[in-house]
């Protein structure tokens, strides 16, 4: 069962947009994997409709790693859990090895009591040992393998950058008991390209008799980061809510969402 924390919100606007961010950071070399805490953001969307409970959860390898649920019955509070992405991917003490594909099944669950449409925004990038973003390493070396594209998930090509991928679940995600409340997977594996370990530097030193050659990996100690951000809008007036919350024109026809 989820552990939940509550935080007061200012009434009375209906919260139609939920924004959950999951950040993962792992370090190569002899350093064990370091995981950054999950953080949350939220926006509100005012509407002249009855207030309902709304919530969204991010699932990793069959476990709910983070959630944020609005509870109108509890004086306008959020029930939320701050989890970590990749926490269900590695064994204790294990670090990521370049070239190895790790199981990373990611999906979204409607954990509220209102039907909704869901968007996922994925960011991938590299940091050096001082925490500065590295432009010389391609985000493509971080292969979060996306699945069910075209059938269940739509890629917003207009919003795509080398670091960012935006996905829309093209069907209505129902509240539990009313229909399908968990999306199909949008990712299934994570692989760090083995090319990251190909670039090395050799240092040659001699004392007149002996020559010592030291080889080091150029990118030893670099960090990769993945952010999987999930947000949702209500079923009621979904196209207007998506335009207001996401700034995106969508069409909803018989429960199916498409990008204009």
């Amino acid at each position: 069962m989820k552990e939940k924390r509550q935080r007061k919100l200012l009434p009375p606007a209906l919260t139609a947009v939920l924004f959950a961010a999951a950040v993962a950071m792992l370090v190569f070399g002899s350093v064990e994997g370091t995981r950054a805490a999950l953080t949350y953001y939220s926006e509100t969307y005012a509407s002249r409709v009855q207030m309902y409970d709304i919530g969204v959860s991010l699932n990793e390898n069959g476990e709910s790693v983070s959630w944020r649920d609005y509870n109108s019955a509890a004086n306008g509070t959020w029930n939320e859990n701050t989890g970590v992405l990749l926490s269900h991917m590695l064994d204790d003490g294990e670090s990521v090895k370049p070239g190895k594909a790790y199981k990373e099944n990611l999906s979204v669950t409607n954990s509220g009591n209102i039907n909704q449409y869901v968007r996922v925004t994925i960011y991938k990038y590299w940091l050096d040992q001082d925490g500065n973003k590295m432009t010389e390493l391609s985000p493509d070396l971080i292969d979060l393998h996306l699945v069910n594209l075209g059938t269940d998930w739509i890629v917003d090509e207009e919003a795509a950058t080398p670091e960012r991928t935006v996905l829309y679940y093209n069907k209505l995600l129902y509240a539990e008991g009313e229909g399908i409340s968990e999306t199909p997977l949008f990712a299934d594996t994570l692989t760090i390209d083995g090319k990251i370990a190909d670039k090395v530097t050799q240092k040659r030193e001699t004392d007149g008799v002996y020559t010592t050659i030291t080889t080091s990996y150029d990118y030893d100690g670099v960090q990769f980061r993945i952010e999987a951000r999930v947000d949702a809008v209500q079923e009621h007036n979904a196209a207007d809510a998506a335009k207001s919350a996401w700034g995106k024109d969508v069409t909803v026809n018989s429960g199916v969402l498409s990008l204009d």
Side-chain angles (χ1 to χ4, degrees), residues 51-175:
M51 183 175 290
Y52 292 92
D53 292 354
I54 186 169
V56 67
S57 299
L58 176 65
N59 309 310
E60 178 189 44
N61 293 334
E63 299 288 339
S64 180
V65 294
S66 61
W67 60 86
R68 200 164 201 265
D69 305 334
Y70 181 71
N71 188 351
S72 61
N75 300 319
T77 58
W78 285 108
N79 294 324
E80 61 183 311
N81 176 69
T82 301
V84 287
L85 195 63
L86 305 191
S87 60
H88 297 281
M89 188 185 80
L90 298 175
D91 295 329
D92 291 341
E94 184 182 9
S95 59
V96 168
K97 297 179 181 178
K100 179 178 178 179
Y102 293 88
K103 178 182 176 182
E104 184 64 358
N105 289 348
L106 297 177
S107 64
V108 177
T109 294
N110 182 344
S111 50
N113 297 318
I114 182 174
N115 302 337
Q116 58 195 249
Y117 291 94
V118 171
R119 179 180 70 169
V120 176
T121 305
I122 301 165
Y123 294 90
K124 304 184 300 181
Y125 53 94
W126 296 90
L127 299 177
D128 63 20
Q129 297 183 53
D130 297 321
N132 301 312
K133 186 173 289 188
M134 303 176 64
T135 58
E136 65 268 31
L137 280 178
S138 171
D140 290 340
L141 295 172
I142 309 167
D143 181 16
L144 182 65
H145 183 243
L146 303 179
V147 294
N148 296 314
L149 303 182
T151 55
D152 298 296
W153 293 93
I154 306 170
V155 179
D156 186 353
E157 300 292 352
E158 293 182 352
T161 71
E163 291 187 0
R164 181 181 65 210
T165 301
V166 182
L167 305 174
Y168 291 82
Y169 181 52
N170 65 6
K171 301 174 181 65
L172 186 63
L173 194 59
Y174 290 91

Side-chain angles (χ1 to χ4, degrees), residues 116-244:
Q116 58 195 249
Y117 291 94
V118 171
R119 179 180 70 169
V120 176
T121 305
I122 301 165
Y123 294 90
K124 304 184 300 181
Y125 53 94
W126 296 90
L127 299 177
D128 63 20
Q129 297 183 53
D130 297 321
N132 301 312
K133 186 173 289 188
M134 303 176 64
T135 58
E136 65 268 31
L137 280 178
S138 171
D140 290 340
L141 295 172
I142 309 167
D143 181 16
L144 182 65
H145 183 243
L146 303 179
V147 294
N148 296 314
L149 303 182
T151 55
D152 298 296
W153 293 93
I154 306 170
V155 179
D156 186 353
E157 300 292 352
E158 293 182 352
T161 71
E163 291 187 0
R164 181 181 65 210
T165 301
V166 182
L167 305 174
Y168 291 82
Y169 181 52
N170 65 6
K171 301 174 181 65
L172 186 63
L173 194 59
Y174 290 91
E176 186 175 3
E178 297 186 24
I180 297 175
S181 59
E182 181 179 352
T183 69
L185 300 179
F186 63 85
D188 63 355
T189 61
L190 174 65
T191 308
I192 302 302
D193 197 311
K195 294 178 182 178
I196 192 74
D198 289 347
K199 191 170 183 180
V200 298
T201 297
Q202 289 188 333
K203 182 179 181 181
R204 184 185 298 266
E205 297 178 333
T206 182
D207 61 4
V209 179
Y210 298 102
T211 299
T212 302
I213 300 176
T214 303
T215 301
S216 60
Y217 292 103
D218 288 9
Y219 297 121
D220 188 32
V222 301
Q223 308 165 4
F224 75 88
R225 286 202 175 186
I226 297 176
E227 299 177 17
R229 301 181 176 182
V230 182
D231 54 307
V233 297
Q234 63 196 32
E235 176 188 14
H236 182 76
N237 292 330
D240 290 337
K243 181 64 173 179
S244 175

Side-chain angles (χ1 to χ4, degrees), residues 5-36:
R5 293 200 297 249
Q6 295 188 337
R7 186 177 69 184
K8 287 278 186 176
L9 289 183
L10 294 176
L14 168 66
T15 301
V17 181
L18 304 176
F19 199 99
V23 180
M25 179 179 68
L26 292 166
V27 182
F28 290 116
S30 59
V31 182
E32 293 184 358
T34 305
R35 303 184 181 106

